[in-house]
Amino acid sequence: MHANLAEAEAALARGDYGQSLALLEPLAASHPLPHAEGARIRMLMVTAWMGQGDERKALATCRLLTRCKDLELRQNAKQLLIVLEAPSLQRPANWSIRLPNLNMTATTAARPASARRPSLRPAPPPPPATGPTKAPTLGFSILVLLVLIGLTMLLSGLGIPPR
């Protein structure tokens, strides 16, 4: 019994609601609702039905669970009932992304690369030009030296005649 229940809970955690229900239904038949174990099994069934979108069964069972003897399960059932009875709101279309159908079949995936369409992407740009760095020329060095000598004379007062 406990192995099947653990297996059903694992299937429910994986999102495999059909397998979970297949494991829980025989357990629910052997454990009536007034017992705590039967209520726990049915709470798992409610969750699986919600996952499958069968809210009618989930709602009916959840209403039965609100009269359970176990206080914790009864409170959980009441909270779940609020969720199940809440109106479903329409979601605007721009809140969802619609993916196009790519019609991927085994034949298109198995084609060799040479048989596929050529790429429509532009060619990548050429790499930047590189090469050895050139040393400054002698003329530029002389010009910098003359500017520095001129600034030094100007700032030291050598270029201004006394009065």
Side-chain angles (χ1 to χ4, degrees), residues 103-138:
N103 292 329
M104 295 292 291
T105 60
T107 58
T108 59
R111 284 191 294 175
S114 60
R116 293 187 185 137
R117 283 189 294 171
S119 176
L120 298 177
R121 289 182 279 162
T130 58
T133 306
K134 296 180 183 175
T137 60
L138 183 62

PDB file of all heavy atoms in Angstrom, residues 103-138:
ATOM      1  N   ASN A 103       7.107  22.245 -38.623  1.00  0.00           N
ATOM      2  CA  ASN A 103       6.918  21.043 -39.438  1.00  0.00           C
ATOM      3  C   ASN A 103       8.209  20.251 -39.579  1.00  0.00           C
ATOM      4  O   ASN A 103       8.614  19.878 -40.675  1.00  0.00           O
ATOM      5  CB  ASN A 103       6.361  21.402 -40.816  1.00  0.00           C
ATOM      6  CG  ASN A 103       4.956  21.917 -40.742  1.00  0.00           C
ATOM      7  OD1 ASN A 103       4.195  21.523 -39.862  1.00  0.00           O
ATOM      8  ND2 ASN A 103       4.599  22.810 -41.635  1.00  0.00           N
ATOM      9  N   MET A 104       8.872  20.030 -38.492  1.00  0.00           N
ATOM     10  CA  MET A 104      10.113  19.256 -38.501  1.00  0.00           C
ATOM     11  C   MET A 104       9.761  17.783 -38.600  1.00  0.00           C
ATOM     12  O   MET A 104       9.051  17.241 -37.763  1.00  0.00           O
ATOM     13  CB  MET A 104      10.932  19.508 -37.235  1.00  0.00           C
ATOM     14  CG  MET A 104      11.447  20.917 -37.091  1.00  0.00           C
ATOM     15  SD  MET A 104      12.680  21.342 -38.307  1.00  0.00           S
ATOM     16  CE  MET A 104      14.025  20.321 -37.785  1.00  0.00           C
ATOM     17  N   THR A 105      10.249  17.132 -39.629  1.00  0.00           N
ATOM     18  CA  THR A 105      10.040  15.702 -39.797  1.00  0.00           C
ATOM     19  C   THR A 105      11.389  15.035 -39.851  1.00  0.00           C
ATOM     20  O   THR A 105      12.421  15.684 -39.968  1.00  0.00           O
ATOM     21  CB  THR A 105       9.253  15.411 -41.084  1.00  0.00           C
ATOM     22  OG1 THR A 105      10.015  15.908 -42.188  1.00  0.00           O
ATOM     23  CG2 THR A 105       7.877  16.042 -41.055  1.00  0.00           C
ATOM     24  N   ALA A 106      11.398  13.729 -39.823  1.00  0.00           N
ATOM     25  CA  ALA A 106      12.652  12.984 -39.844  1.00  0.00           C
ATOM     26  C   ALA A 106      13.387  13.180 -41.162  1.00  0.00           C
ATOM     27  O   ALA A 106      14.608  13.150 -41.209  1.00  0.00           O
ATOM     28  CB  ALA A 106      12.384  11.512 -39.604  1.00  0.00           C
ATOM     29  N   THR A 107      12.672  13.414 -42.250  1.00  0.00           N
ATOM     30  CA  THR A 107      13.339  13.568 -43.545  1.00  0.00           C
ATOM     31  C   THR A 107      14.100  14.883 -43.632  1.00  0.00           C
ATOM     32  O   THR A 107      15.175  14.929 -44.200  1.00  0.00           O
ATOM     33  CB  THR A 107      12.321  13.488 -44.692  1.00  0.00           C
ATOM     34  OG1 THR A 107      11.330  14.501 -44.496  1.00  0.00           O
ATOM     35  CG2 THR A 107      11.664  12.121 -44.742  1.00  0.00           C
ATOM     36  N   THR A 108      13.551  15.968 -43.071  1.00  0.00           N
ATOM     37  CA  THR A 108      14.264  17.240 -43.145  1.00  0.00           C
ATOM     38  C   THR A 108      15.466  17.256 -42.221  1.00  0.00           C
ATOM     39  O   THR A 108      16.466  17.880 -42.526  1.00  0.00           O
ATOM     40  CB  THR A 108      13.338  18.419 -42.799  1.00  0.00           C
ATOM     41  OG1 THR A 108      12.828  18.225 -41.485  1.00  0.00           O
ATOM     42  CG2 THR A 108      12.227  18.553 -43.805  1.00  0.00           C
ATOM     43  N   ALA A 109      15.395  16.566 -41.110  1.00  0.00           N
ATOM     44  CA  ALA A 109      16.520  16.551 -40.187  1.00  0.00           C
ATOM     45  C   ALA A 109      17.630  15.639 -40.677  1.00  0.00           C
ATOM     46  O   ALA A 109      18.787  15.807 -40.322  1.00  0.00           O
ATOM     47  CB  ALA A 109      16.054  16.111 -38.802  1.00  0.00           C
ATOM     48  N   ALA A 110      17.304  14.658 -41.542  1.00  0.00           N
ATOM     49  CA  ALA A 110      18.295  13.692 -41.980  1.00  0.00           C
ATOM     50  C   ALA A 110      19.034  14.140 -43.238  1.00  0.00           C
ATOM     51  O   ALA A 110      19.973  13.482 -43.659  1.00  0.00           O
ATOM     52  CB  ALA A 110      17.618  12.350 -42.242  1.00  0.00           C
ATOM     53  N   ARG A 111      18.639  15.236 -43.868  1.00  0.00           N
ATOM     54  CA  ARG A 111      19.306  15.694 -45.082  1.00  0.00           C
ATOM     55  C   ARG A 111      20.736  16.113 -44.766  1.00  0.00           C
ATOM     56  O   ARG A 111      21.000  16.702 -43.730  1.00  0.00           O
ATOM     57  CB  ARG A 111      18.573  16.886 -45.680  1.00  0.00           C
ATOM     58  CG  ARG A 111      17.320  16.504 -46.400  1.00  0.00           C
ATOM     59  CD  ARG A 111      16.797  17.656 -47.189  1.00  0.00           C
ATOM     60  NE  ARG A 111      16.370  18.718 -46.285  1.00  0.00           N
ATOM     61  CZ  ARG A 111      15.950  19.901 -46.674  1.00  0.00           C
ATOM     62  NH1 ARG A 111      15.920  20.212 -47.937  1.00  0.00           N
ATOM     63  NH2 ARG A 111      15.573  20.803 -45.803  1.00  0.00           N
ATOM     64  N   PRO A 112      21.657  15.857 -45.688  1.00  0.00           N
ATOM     65  CA  PRO A 112      23.027  16.313 -45.462  1.00  0.00           C
ATOM     66  C   PRO A 112      23.108  17.829 -45.525  1.00  0.00           C
ATOM     67  O   PRO A 112      22.251  18.491 -46.107  1.00  0.00           O
ATOM     68  CB  PRO A 112      23.815  15.666 -46.597  1.00  0.00           C
ATOM     69  CG  PRO A 112      22.812  15.313 -47.634  1.00  0.00           C
ATOM     70  CD  PRO A 112      21.522  15.100 -46.906  1.00  0.00           C
ATOM     71  N   ALA A 113      24.158  18.366 -44.962  1.00  0.00           N
ATOM     72  CA  ALA A 113      24.312  19.818 -44.899  1.00  0.00           C
ATOM     73  C   ALA A 113      24.406  20.433 -46.284  1.00  0.00           C
ATOM     74  O   ALA A 113      23.982  21.563 -46.500  1.00  0.00           O
ATOM     75  CB  ALA A 113      25.544  20.168 -44.075  1.00  0.00           C
ATOM     76  N   SER A 114      24.950  19.702 -47.255  1.00  0.00           N
ATOM     77  CA  SER A 114      25.090  20.248 -48.602  1.00  0.00           C
ATOM     78  C   SER A 114      23.734  20.387 -49.297  1.00  0.00           C
ATOM     79  O   SER A 114      23.586  21.210 -50.189  1.00  0.00           O
ATOM     80  CB  SER A 114      26.013  19.360 -49.432  1.00  0.00           C
ATOM     81  OG  SER A 114      25.458  18.057 -49.515  1.00  0.00           O
ATOM     82  N   ALA A 115      22.731  19.601 -48.907  1.00  0.00           N
ATOM     83  CA  ALA A 115      21.422  19.649 -49.543  1.00  0.00           C
ATOM     84  C   ALA A 115      20.525  20.707 -48.917  1.00  0.00           C
ATOM     85  O   ALA A 115      19.477  21.023 -49.460  1.00  0.00           O
ATOM     86  CB  ALA A 115      20.735  18.289 -49.444  1.00  0.00           C
ATOM     87  N   ARG A 116      20.921  21.245 -47.796  1.00  0.00           N
ATOM     88  CA  ARG A 116      20.095  22.262 -47.128  1.00  0.00           C
ATOM     89  C   ARG A 116      20.229  23.604 -47.838  1.00  0.00           C
ATOM     90  O   ARG A 116      21.169  23.835 -48.593  1.00  0.00           O
ATOM     91  CB  ARG A 116      20.509  22.387 -45.668  1.00  0.00           C
ATOM     92  CG  ARG A 116      20.183  21.141 -44.884  1.00  0.00           C
ATOM     93  CD  ARG A 116      20.440  21.365 -43.416  1.00  0.00           C
ATOM     94  NE  ARG A 116      20.234  20.098 -42.720  1.00  0.00           N
ATOM     95  CZ  ARG A 116      21.017  19.640 -41.771  1.00  0.00           C
ATOM     96  NH1 ARG A 116      22.037  20.349 -41.352  1.00  0.00           N
ATOM     97  NH2 ARG A 116      20.779  18.489 -41.201  1.00  0.00           N
ATOM     98  N   ARG A 117      19.324  24.494 -47.558  1.00  0.00           N
ATOM     99  CA  ARG A 117      19.350  25.839 -48.139  1.00  0.00           C
ATOM    100  C   ARG A 117      20.616  26.572 -47.734  1.00  0.00           C
ATOM    101  O   ARG A 117      21.102  26.405 -46.622  1.00  0.00           O
ATOM    102  CB  ARG A 117      18.196  26.677 -47.587  1.00  0.00           C
ATOM    103  CG  ARG A 117      16.889  26.422 -48.117  1.00  0.00           C
ATOM    104  CD  ARG A 117      15.913  27.466 -47.648  1.00  0.00           C
ATOM    105  NE  ARG A 117      15.713  27.375 -46.204  1.00  0.00           N
ATOM    106  CZ  ARG A 117      15.061  28.254 -45.502  1.00  0.00           C
ATOM    107  NH1 ARG A 117      14.551  29.310 -46.065  1.00  0.00           N
ATOM    108  NH2 ARG A 117      14.897  28.115 -44.212  1.00  0.00           N
ATOM    109  N   PRO A 118      21.105  27.440 -48.603  1.00  0.00           N
ATOM    110  CA  PRO A 118      22.262  28.240 -48.203  1.00  0.00           C
ATOM    111  C   PRO A 118      21.846  29.242 -47.131  1.00  0.00           C
ATOM    112  O   PRO A 118      20.690  29.651 -47.045  1.00  0.00           O
ATOM    113  CB  PRO A 118      22.688  28.944 -49.491  1.00  0.00           C
ATOM    114  CG  PRO A 118      21.476  28.931 -50.364  1.00  0.00           C
ATOM    115  CD  PRO A 118      20.694  27.696 -49.974  1.00  0.00           C
ATOM    116  N   SER A 119      22.785  29.630 -46.339  1.00  0.00           N
ATOM    117  CA  SER A 119      22.508  30.551 -45.241  1.00  0.00           C
ATOM    118  C   SER A 119      22.212  31.935 -45.786  1.00  0.00           C
ATOM    119  O   SER A 119      22.839  32.399 -46.742  1.00  0.00           O
ATOM    120  CB  SER A 119      23.723  30.608 -44.307  1.00  0.00           C
ATOM    121  OG  SER A 119      23.504  31.561 -43.311  1.00  0.00           O
ATOM    122  N   LEU A 120      21.244  32.608 -45.208  1.00  0.00           N
ATOM    123  CA  LEU A 120      20.877  33.958 -45.623  1.00  0.00           C
ATOM    124  C   LEU A 120      21.621  35.019 -44.814  1.00  0.00           C
ATOM    125  O   LEU A 120      21.423  36.203 -45.028  1.00  0.00           O
ATOM    126  CB  LEU A 120      19.370  34.147 -45.477  1.00  0.00           C
ATOM    127  CG  LEU A 120      18.501  33.219 -46.332  1.00  0.00           C
ATOM    128  CD1 LEU A 120      17.035  33.468 -46.042  1.00  0.00           C
ATOM    129  CD2 LEU A 120      18.795  33.394 -47.796  1.00  0.00           C
ATOM    130  N   ARG A 121      22.478  34.595 -43.936  1.00  0.00           N
ATOM    131  CA  ARG A 121      23.220  35.548 -43.115  1.00  0.00           C
ATOM    132  C   ARG A 121      24.336  36.184 -43.937  1.00  0.00           C
ATOM    133  O   ARG A 121      24.953  35.523 -44.771  1.00  0.00           O
ATOM    134  CB  ARG A 121      23.831  34.853 -41.900  1.00  0.00           C
ATOM    135  CG  ARG A 121      22.784  34.450 -40.874  1.00  0.00           C
ATOM    136  CD  ARG A 121      23.437  33.822 -39.697  1.00  0.00           C
ATOM    137  NE  ARG A 121      23.700  32.420 -40.072  1.00  0.00           N
ATOM    138  CZ  ARG A 121      24.546  31.624 -39.466  1.00  0.00           C
ATOM    139  NH1 ARG A 121      25.253  32.062 -38.468  1.00  0.00           N
ATOM    140  NH2 ARG A 121      24.715  30.390 -39.846  1.00  0.00           N
ATOM    141  N   PRO A 122      24.645  37.459 -43.692  1.00  0.00           N
ATOM    142  CA  PRO A 122      25.753  38.088 -44.425  1.00  0.00           C
ATOM    143  C   PRO A 122      27.084  37.520 -43.950  1.00  0.00           C
ATOM    144  O   PRO A 122      27.207  36.984 -42.855  1.00  0.00           O
ATOM    145  CB  PRO A 122      25.629  39.572 -44.055  1.00  0.00           C
ATOM    146  CG  PRO A 122      24.892  39.574 -42.767  1.00  0.00           C
ATOM    147  CD  PRO A 122      23.987  38.374 -42.797  1.00  0.00           C
ATOM    148  N   ALA A 123      28.080  37.660 -44.826  1.00  0.00           N
ATOM    149  CA  ALA A 123      29.416  37.167 -44.492  1.00  0.00           C
ATOM    150  C   ALA A 123      29.979  37.990 -43.335  1.00  0.00           C
ATOM    151  O   ALA A 123      29.703  39.189 -43.210  1.00  0.00           O
ATOM    152  CB  ALA A 123      30.317  37.282 -45.711  1.00  0.00           C
ATOM    153  N   PRO A 124      30.774  37.379 -42.476  1.00  0.00           N
ATOM    154  CA  PRO A 124      31.335  38.143 -41.352  1.00  0.00           C
ATOM    155  C   PRO A 124      32.336  39.177 -41.863  1.00  0.00           C
ATOM    156  O   PRO A 124      32.956  38.992 -42.916  1.00  0.00           O
ATOM    157  CB  PRO A 124      32.028  37.067 -40.512  1.00  0.00           C
ATOM    158  CG  PRO A 124      32.279  35.933 -41.437  1.00  0.00           C
ATOM    159  CD  PRO A 124      31.185  35.980 -42.449  1.00  0.00           C
ATOM    160  N   PRO A 125      32.503  40.283 -41.162  1.00  0.00           N
ATOM    161  CA  PRO A 125      33.433  41.323 -41.611  1.00  0.00           C
ATOM    162  C   PRO A 125      34.869  40.812 -41.543  1.00  0.00           C
ATOM    163  O   PRO A 125      35.177  39.905 -40.766  1.00  0.00           O
ATOM    164  CB  PRO A 125      33.200  42.465 -40.612  1.00  0.00           C
ATOM    165  CG  PRO A 125      32.651  41.797 -39.413  1.00  0.00           C
ATOM    166  CD  PRO A 125      31.878  40.616 -39.913  1.00  0.00           C
ATOM    167  N   PRO A 126      35.754  41.399 -42.343  1.00  0.00           N
ATOM    168  CA  PRO A 126      37.150  40.945 -42.307  1.00  0.00           C
ATOM    169  C   PRO A 126      37.788  41.312 -40.969  1.00  0.00           C
ATOM    170  O   PRO A 126      37.378  42.269 -40.310  1.00  0.00           O
ATOM    171  CB  PRO A 126      37.800  41.713 -43.464  1.00  0.00           C
ATOM    172  CG  PRO A 126      36.935  42.904 -43.671  1.00  0.00           C
ATOM    173  CD  PRO A 126      35.549  42.475 -43.297  1.00  0.00           C
ATOM    174  N   PRO A 127      38.795  40.576 -40.570  1.00  0.00           N
ATOM    175  CA  PRO A 127      39.459  40.895 -39.296  1.00  0.00           C
ATOM    176  C   PRO A 127      40.195  42.221 -39.398  1.00  0.00           C
ATOM    177  O   PRO A 127      40.565  42.660 -40.490  1.00  0.00           O
ATOM    178  CB  PRO A 127      40.429  39.726 -39.097  1.00  0.00           C
ATOM    179  CG  PRO A 127      40.647  39.162 -40.461  1.00  0.00           C
ATOM    180  CD  PRO A 127      39.387  39.420 -41.226  1.00  0.00           C
ATOM    181  N   PRO A 128      40.424  42.889 -38.281  1.00  0.00           N
ATOM    182  CA  PRO A 128      41.108  44.185 -38.325  1.00  0.00           C
ATOM    183  C   PRO A 128      42.562  44.006 -38.785  1.00  0.00           C
ATOM    184  O   PRO A 128      43.174  42.968 -38.577  1.00  0.00           O
ATOM    185  CB  PRO A 128      41.036  44.681 -36.879  1.00  0.00           C
ATOM    186  CG  PRO A 128      40.820  43.459 -36.074  1.00  0.00           C
ATOM    187  CD  PRO A 128      40.068  42.507 -36.936  1.00  0.00           C
ATOM    188  N   ALA A 129      43.091  45.055 -39.425  1.00  0.00           N
ATOM    189  CA  ALA A 129      44.467  45.014 -39.906  1.00  0.00           C
ATOM    190  C   ALA A 129      45.422  45.029 -38.715  1.00  0.00           C
ATOM    191  O   ALA A 129      45.251  45.800 -37.770  1.00  0.00           O
ATOM    192  CB  ALA A 129      44.738  46.210 -40.803  1.00  0.00           C
ATOM    193  N   THR A 130      46.409  44.176 -38.792  1.00  0.00           N
ATOM    194  CA  THR A 130      47.409  44.124 -37.723  1.00  0.00           C
ATOM    195  C   THR A 130      48.785  44.101 -38.353  1.00  0.00           C
ATOM    196  O   THR A 130      48.944  43.795 -39.534  1.00  0.00           O
ATOM    197  CB  THR A 130      47.243  42.867 -36.860  1.00  0.00           C
ATOM    198  OG1 THR A 130      47.349  41.721 -37.702  1.00  0.00           O
ATOM    199  CG2 THR A 130      45.910  42.856 -36.143  1.00  0.00           C
ATOM    200  N   GLY A 131      49.764  44.420 -37.608  1.00  0.00           N
ATOM    201  CA  GLY A 131      51.134  44.414 -38.114  1.00  0.00           C
ATOM    202  C   GLY A 131      52.056  45.009 -37.070  1.00  0.00           C
ATOM    203  O   GLY A 131      51.620  45.420 -35.986  1.00  0.00           O
ATOM    204  N   PRO A 132      53.340  45.108 -37.390  1.00  0.00           N
ATOM    205  CA  PRO A 132      54.283  45.666 -36.416  1.00  0.00           C
ATOM    206  C   PRO A 132      54.049  47.159 -36.230  1.00  0.00           C
ATOM    207  O   PRO A 132      53.671  47.871 -37.150  1.00  0.00           O
ATOM    208  CB  PRO A 132      55.653  45.392 -37.044  1.00  0.00           C
ATOM    209  CG  PRO A 132      55.388  45.235 -38.504  1.00  0.00           C
ATOM    210  CD  PRO A 132      54.000  44.682 -38.610  1.00  0.00           C
ATOM    211  N   THR A 133      54.299  47.637 -35.046  1.00  0.00           N
ATOM    212  CA  THR A 133      54.171  49.053 -34.733  1.00  0.00           C
ATOM    213  C   THR A 133      55.390  49.787 -35.273  1.00  0.00           C
ATOM    214  O   THR A 133      56.520  49.349 -35.099  1.00  0.00           O
ATOM    215  CB  THR A 133      54.067  49.256 -33.208  1.00  0.00           C
ATOM    216  OG1 THR A 133      53.021  48.451 -32.721  1.00  0.00           O
ATOM    217  CG2 THR A 133      53.820  50.699 -32.860  1.00  0.00           C
ATOM    218  N   LYS A 134      55.138  50.930 -35.915  1.00  0.00           N
ATOM    219  CA  LYS A 134      56.234  51.711 -36.496  1.00  0.00           C
ATOM    220  C   LYS A 134      56.767  52.682 -35.452  1.00  0.00           C
ATOM    221  O   LYS A 134      56.019  53.290 -34.704  1.00  0.00           O
ATOM    222  CB  LYS A 134      55.750  52.476 -37.711  1.00  0.00           C
ATOM    223  CG  LYS A 134      55.309  51.576 -38.845  1.00  0.00           C
ATOM    224  CD  LYS A 134      54.833  52.395 -40.016  1.00  0.00           C
ATOM    225  CE  LYS A 134      54.336  51.499 -41.122  1.00  0.00           C
ATOM    226  NZ  LYS A 134      53.767  52.255 -42.229  1.00  0.00           N
ATOM    227  N   ALA A 135      58.085  52.852 -35.447  1.00  0.00           N
ATOM    228  CA  ALA A 135      58.728  53.809 -34.535  1.00  0.00           C
ATOM    229  C   ALA A 135      58.474  55.218 -35.049  1.00  0.00           C
ATOM    230  O   ALA A 135      58.338  55.443 -36.248  1.00  0.00           O
ATOM    231  CB  ALA A 135      60.217  53.530 -34.461  1.00  0.00           C
ATOM    232  N   PRO A 136      58.374  56.215 -34.144  1.00  0.00           N
ATOM    233  CA  PRO A 136      58.170  57.590 -34.601  1.00  0.00           C
ATOM    234  C   PRO A 136      59.362  58.045 -35.462  1.00  0.00           C
ATOM    235  O   PRO A 136      60.491  57.642 -35.241  1.00  0.00           O
ATOM    236  CB  PRO A 136      58.049  58.402 -33.331  1.00  0.00           C
ATOM    237  CG  PRO A 136      58.381  57.501 -32.210  1.00  0.00           C
ATOM    238  CD  PRO A 136      58.454  56.108 -32.721  1.00  0.00           C
ATOM    239  N   THR A 137      59.084  58.921 -36.384  1.00  0.00           N
ATOM    240  CA  THR A 137      60.141  59.415 -37.269  1.00  0.00           C
ATOM    241  C   THR A 137      61.004  60.438 -36.560  1.00  0.00           C
ATOM    242  O   THR A 137      60.635  61.011 -35.529  1.00  0.00           O
ATOM    243  CB  THR A 137      59.531  60.043 -38.528  1.00  0.00           C
ATOM    244  OG1 THR A 137      58.696  61.118 -38.135  1.00  0.00           O
ATOM    245  CG2 THR A 137      58.761  59.011 -39.337  1.00  0.00           C
ATOM    246  N   LEU A 138      62.182  60.720 -37.126  1.00  0.00           N
ATOM    247  CA  LEU A 138      63.133  61.656 -36.525  1.00  0.00           C
ATOM    248  C   LEU A 138      62.591  63.076 -36.541  1.00  0.00           C
ATOM    249  O   LEU A 138      62.760  63.825 -35.579  1.00  0.00           O
ATOM    250  CB  LEU A 138      64.469  61.589 -37.290  1.00  0.00           C
ATOM    251  CG  LEU A 138      65.598  62.451 -36.743  1.00  0.00           C
ATOM    252  CD1 LEU A 138      65.962  62.008 -35.335  1.00  0.00           C
ATOM    253  CD2 LEU A 138      66.802  62.392 -37.664  1.00  0.00           C
TER     254      LEU A 138
END
